[in-house]
Amino acid sequence: MALDIKIQPIKNSKISNVDFSDLPFGKVFSDHIFQCEYIDGAWQNPIIKANEPIQLNPAAKIFHYGQSIFEGMKAYKDANGEVFLFRPEDNCKRLNLSANRLMMPEIPADLFMQGLKKLLEIDSDWIPTTEGSSLYVRPFMFASGEGLHASPADSYIFMIAAAPSGAYFSGRITVLIEEKYARAANGGVGFAKAGGNYAAQFYPTQLAIEKGYNQVVWTDDNSHQFIEEAGAMNIFIRIGDVLITSPTNDRILDGITRKSILQIAEDHNIPVEVRKISVSEVVQAAKDGDLKEMFGAGTAAVISPIAGFGYQEADYELPELSDTYASFFKKKIIAIQTNTSKDPYGWRVKV
Ligand code: PLP
Ligand code: COI
């Protein structure tokens, strides 16, 4: 059933001010934003309007108790100007998992999908077509209800913003394997895409940056002996010909790129092990010359090869291979996303 989304178009588009040949990540926003409010126990007032500052009461609970969740997805345009999303229903499901954990209301799938598609129709000129660029789409929800009682808010705002974006990382990526800090703990909210998970990693990430690394690879909060994920990506490790990634758990985001890679690997007979992987195993493999690849996988990061890692004051380099699993998966996934290959999985969704 088509929902009644109010459309309030802007008068003058900002698009001519944007240099599409040199896009940063997530800094430039399209003209419009989708918004919907949760008031008196129901989602209401769906609207597409100018993406501009909003007003909130200083007592809104987002500012005090951090009820804030988000998703990340990308829209692509093919050579014929058709617009596609990649597995968007999975983002909606995950947003609702996050909502449940943070005591926020679920967003109905048809509201999410119709708001998203309408926004992309209206702002379709904002979808870049240059290689490596896409329209990064950011659905998010926060507590707008007011009061200082430390309890869930009674009202929420859901929005979908869109930012024509280039690559998330540029240049060589090196990571520091974390020995002290944790981004998430058992029983916590690590599996949710909660804003606070990202705030929690800024300080240890800054310490890693000061030591010359780009990112932290999180280890389990209890022993710090097992590799979990990175700040905005799931982590894959190739030892010999075997691709290894940690199982998801309470502390790890169940990445859509991760599960797409696992499916493609299975269908191309690439040996995969989804199991706990200890830091000592990775270090030993590096010393023995068996560590072939490490890469991160996520919507923003796509598939980002890791060139080296640090652990316990020592640095380890990854070999420079000509034929990598990382580039194989990256090509396969991007071809499905951008409609330049068949999609045997039904992941590509036409807008
Ligand atoms: N892990 C974290 C912490 C993330 O923020 C992301 C990004 O969304 C991912 C993993 C990868 O998830 P996805 O592939 O669904 O984007
Ligand atoms: C994404 O990959 O979409 C994310 O949400 C990561 C974000 C922190 C940039």
Side-chain angles (χ1 to χ4, degrees), residues 1-21:
M1 201 183 70
L3 295 168
D4 193 11
I5 300 174
K6 187 171 165 190
I7 312 286
Q8 214 169 66
I10 53 132
K11 290 201 180 67
N12 298 308
S13 174
K14 304 171 295 191
I15 200 162
S16 59
N17 302 333
V18 177
D19 179 1
F20 276 78
S21 68

Side-chain angles (χ1 to χ4, degrees), residues 68-81:
S68 154
I69 56 175
F70 70 97
E71 271 302 320
M73 54 214 300
K74 282 176 173 171
Y76 310 84
K77 201 182 258 182
D78 73 2
N80 299 319

Side-chain angles (χ1 to χ4, degrees), residues 1 31 38 73 110 133-134 145 156 160 167 177 205 208 214 219 248 289 312 325:
M1 201 183 70
D31 287 325
Y38 186 85
M73 54 214 300
D110 56 350
S133 299
S134 57
Y156 296 84
I160 305 177
I177 297 182
T205 302
N214 307 100
T219 46
T248 52
Q312 290 183 339
Y325 284 172

Side-chain angles (χ1 to χ4, degrees), residues 68-71 91-105 189 191-194 253:
S68 154
I69 56 175
F70 70 97
E71 271 302 320
N91 292 95
C92 182
K93 279 191 202 138
R94 194 171 62 189
L95 186 73
N96 285 334
L97 268 181
S98 303
N100 281 314
R101 181 61 181 84
L102 279 275
M103 273 301 284
M104 300 167 79
V189 300
F191 69 90
K193 232 166 144 54
L253 194 79

Side-chain angles (χ1 to χ4, degrees), residues 5-169:
I5 300 174
K6 187 171 165 190
I7 312 286
Q8 214 169 66
I10 53 132
K11 290 201 180 67
N12 298 308
S13 174
K14 304 171 295 191
I15 200 162
S16 59
N17 302 333
V18 177
D19 179 1
F20 276 78
S21 68
D22 185 24
L23 287 167
F25 177 85
K27 287 205 164 154
V28 177
F29 288 86
S30 72
D31 287 325
H32 297 93
I33 194 161
F34 173 76
Q35 175 183 300
C36 198
E37 295 167 280
Y38 186 85
I39 303 168
D40 296 334
W43 286 104
Q44 39 196 291
N45 310 326
I47 182 171
I48 291 178
K49 56 174 191 164
N51 184 343
E52 59 190 13
I54 55 168
Q55 279 202 329
L56 285 177
N57 189 299
K61 290 197 177 184
I62 171 63
F63 299 130
H64 304 274
Y65 305 122
Q67 278 181 296
S68 154
I69 56 175
F70 70 97
E71 271 302 320
M73 54 214 300
K74 282 176 173 171
Y76 310 84
K77 201 182 258 182
D78 73 2
N80 299 319
E82 307 263 32
V83 175
F84 298 96
L85 288 158
F86 186 69
R87 310 186 76 170
E89 292 90 355
D90 291 3
N91 292 95
C92 182
K93 279 191 202 138
R94 194 171 62 189
L95 186 73
N96 285 334
L97 268 181
S98 303
N100 281 314
R101 181 61 181 84
L102 279 275
M103 273 301 284
M104 300 167 79
E106 284 191 14
I107 189 99
D110 56 350
L111 187 56
F112 182 98
M113 288 306 299
Q114 289 186 40
L116 175 62
K117 288 185 174 179
K118 198 80 203 161
L119 178 72
L120 293 176
E121 272 169 37
I122 292 175
D123 278 352
S124 73
D125 288 349
W126 288 84
I127 304 174
T129 49
T130 38
E131 205 188 313
S133 299
S134 57
L135 187 68
Y136 183 75
V137 179
R138 173 53 62 90
F140 59 106
M141 192 199 296
F142 55 88
S144 51
E146 297 153 15
L148 298 185
H149 196 277
S151 52
D154 57 3
S155 54
Y156 296 84
I157 294 177
F158 171 70
M159 290 181 142
I160 305 177
S165 294
Y168 189 74
F169 292 114

Side-chain angles (χ1 to χ4, degrees), residues 172 238 291-294 306-309 316-320:
R172 205 180 121 86
R238 174 181 171 189
L291 181 65
K292 302 293 182 204
E293 290 182 62
M294 281 173 78
I306 292 167
F309 70 91
Y316 302 85
E317 292 289 309
L318 275 288
E320 281 182 34

